[in-house]
C-alpha cells in the first residue's frame, strides 16, 4: 500500500488522512479511542439506511438540504451543540452510536483522484493507534493481523451500506418524495416559537397519494419501513429541544435577549440567535 497524505475534500471529523501500511506502521498497535471529543460540536451525523430502525429510537432522522441530500441523525437542534457528549467527550446516555462515528479514525479512501481502488486509511491526528505497549498489533510482518482485518471489514460494510443509502436517496429524489422541512417549537415563557428549517423530510401527502403498486414495491424492497422510521423519529425533535433547553443550550430569541440585557443594565455583547422567526 502506498504512503503519502490525502489532503483534499476530507470528510466530517477527519483532519488528515494517511494510508495504513506495514512498511511505516508495522510496529503500531490499535488502542482505540478513549473519548469522542470529535463529536462534541457536531449536531448532525451522517447515518446509513441500515441504521434507520436503531437510530430512530434515539434521534430525529432528517435529510440534508440542497443537492445530493444525505440522511442525518440530530444530536442537537442547533449547530455546534451535541447534547449527548459531555466536555470530556463521554456519552452521557446509552444511545445508539452511528457507524459513521464508530468508524473513526479509519476510512476507505482513494489514494489518488483517478484511482479505482479504495485503501484503508486513518486520521493521524487521532490518538487511536501508534507506537504503544498496549493495544492490538496491526501487522504481523507484512501481513495484516485479525485486528486490522476487523477494521477493514467494518469499513467495507460501511461502504456497502453507503451504496444502499445512495440508492434509497436516489429513489426519493426521482419520485419527488422529499420536501423542505420545518418544525415549530413553542417554549414556555416565550411569545414566539423556535422555527427550525434547513433540512428535508418525507412529504407525507405525496406518500399517501402514491399508487398501490408503487407502495407494494416500496414495501417489497424494504424502503417503506425506512420511510416510516424517519417519519416516526421526527417526534423526537421536541424531546431533543427540551433536553437541549434543560442544559441551557437553547438559543434565545433576539428580542427576549435584548430585554434581558436591558433589565440587567450590563454592557454585553449581544449573541446572535439561531432561532428563526
Amino acid at each position: 500500500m502506498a504512503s503519502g497524505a490525502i489532503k483534499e475534500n476530507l470528510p466530517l471529523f477527519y483532519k488528515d488522512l494517511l494510508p495504513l501500511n506495514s512498511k511505516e506502521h508495522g510496529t503500531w498497535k490499535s488502542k482505540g479511542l478513549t473519548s469522542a471529543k470529535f463529536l462534541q460540536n457536531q449536531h448532525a451525523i451522517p447515518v446509513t439506511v441500515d441504521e434507520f430502525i436503531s437510530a430512530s429510537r434515539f434521534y430525529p432522522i432528517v435529510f440534508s438540504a440542497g443537492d445530493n441530500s444525505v440522511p442525518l441523525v440530530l444530536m442537537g437542534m442547533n449547530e455546534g451543540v451535541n447534547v449527548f457528549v459531555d466536555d470530556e467527550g463521554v456519552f452521557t446516555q446509552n444511545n445508539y452510536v452511528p457507524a459513521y462515528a464508530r468508524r473513526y479514525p479509519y476510512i476507505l479512501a482513494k489514494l489518488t483522484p483517478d484511482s479505482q481502488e479504495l485503501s484503508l486509511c486513518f486520521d493521524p491526528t487521532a490518538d487511536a493507534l501508534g507506537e504503544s505497549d498496549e493495544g492490538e498489533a496491526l501487522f504481523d510482518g507484512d501481513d495484516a493481523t485479525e485486528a486490522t482485518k476487523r477494521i477493514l471489514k467494518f469499513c467495507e460494510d460501511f461502504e456497502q451500506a453507503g451504496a444502499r443509502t445512495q440508492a434509497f436517496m436516489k429513489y426519493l429524489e426521482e419520485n419527488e418524495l422529499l420536501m423542505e422541512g420545518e418544525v415549530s417549537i413553542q417554549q414556555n415563557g416565550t411569545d414566539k416559537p423556535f422555527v427550525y428549517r434547513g433540512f428535508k423530510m418525507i412529504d407525507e401527502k405525496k406518500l399517501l397519494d402514491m399508487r398501490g403498486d408503487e407502495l407494494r414495491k416500496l414495501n417489497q424492497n424494504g424502503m417503506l419501513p425506512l420511510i416510516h422510521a424517519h417519519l416516526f423519529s421526527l417526534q423526537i425533535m421536541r424531546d431533543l429541544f427540551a433536553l437541549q433547553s434543560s442544559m441551557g443550550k437553547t438559543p434565545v430569541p433576539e428580542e427576549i435577549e435584548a430585554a434581558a440585557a436591558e433589565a440587567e443594565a450590563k454592557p454585553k455583547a449581544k449573541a446572535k440567535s439561531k432561532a428563526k422567526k
Side-chain angles (χ1 to χ4, degrees), residues 8-28:
E8 297 180 0
N9 301 320
L10 293 177
L12 181 68
F13 303 156
Y14 298 82
K15 298 178 181 178
D16 197 358
L17 279 182
L18 288 175
L20 187 66
N21 63 84
S22 58
K23 180 179 179 181
E24 295 178 291
H25 314 116
T27 59
W28 283 27

Side-chain angles (χ1 to χ4, degrees), residues 78-89:
N78 294 86
E79 290 187 17
V81 177
N82 187 325
V83 300
F84 300 111
V85 178
D86 65 18
D87 293 339
E88 301 301 318

Side-chain angles (χ1 to χ4, degrees), residues 48-50 71 156-171 221 223 226:
T48 69
V49 291
D50 291 29
E156 289 174 340
D157 289 346
F158 184 85
E159 290 296 318
Q160 293 169 8
R164 290 188 287 271
T165 304
Q166 289 179 351
F168 175 69
M169 296 307 302
K170 182 179 179 181
Y171 179 89
N221 63 23
M223 290 187 182
L226 301 177

